[in-house]
């Protein structure tokens, strides 16, 4: 009878102690992961802000590339002929 009682108490201890321990471990792990991701995002944003590149020629190529190559248009029309009254 003692063997069954000892096994029963171990089972009860496992049911009472392990779930809160696992829950605390999981919540701590998730908190650490989310904190590290937040820190990583802050560092990346700061680095991008401080180490940007300025390439005006690339911007100009993007703008003209979207419009297509420039073709010479028709010459301007001549003004109306002036007449004497």
């Amino acid at each position: 009878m003692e063997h069954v009682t000892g096994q029963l108490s171990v089972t009860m201890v496992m049911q009472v102690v392990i779930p809160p321990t696992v829950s605390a471990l999981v919540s701590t792990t998730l908190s650490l992961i989310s904190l590290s991701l937040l820190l990583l995002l802050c560092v990346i944003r700061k680095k991008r802000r401080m180490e940007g590149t300025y390439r005006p020629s690339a911007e100009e190529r993007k703008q003209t590339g979207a419009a297509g190559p420039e073709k010479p248009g028709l010459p301007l029309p001549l003004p109306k002929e002036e007449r004497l009254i």
Side-chain angles (χ1 to χ4, degrees):
M1 199 67 159
E2 285 181 33
H3 180 66
V4 173
T5 306
Q7 192 175 25
L8 185 62
S9 66
V10 169
T11 305
M12 287 178 61
V13 167
M14 287 175 61
Q15 288 176 348
V16 171
V17 173
I18 290 181
T21 306
V22 170
S23 175
L25 182 66
V26 168
S27 64
T28 303
T29 304
L30 288 177
S31 297
L32 288 175
I33 289 172
S34 62
L35 185 63
S36 62
L37 285 175
L38 182 65
L39 182 65
L40 182 68
L41 286 175
C42 289
V43 168
I44 288 172
R45 285 185 68 202
K46 185 176 181 181
K47 194 171 215 91
R48 286 186 70 194
R49 191 179 322 141
M50 300 303 285
E51 297 179 10
T53 55
Y54 177 65
R55 291 185 221 133
S57 61
E59 291 295 321
E60 288 175 9
R61 268 188 263 130
K62 268 195 248 178
Q63 290 173 357
T64 58
E70 289 187 31
K71 296 179 183 174
L74 295 175
L76 293 174
L78 295 174
K80 288 186 179 182
E81 190 177 323
E82 293 183 21
R83 296 184 186 179
L84 295 173
I85 297 179

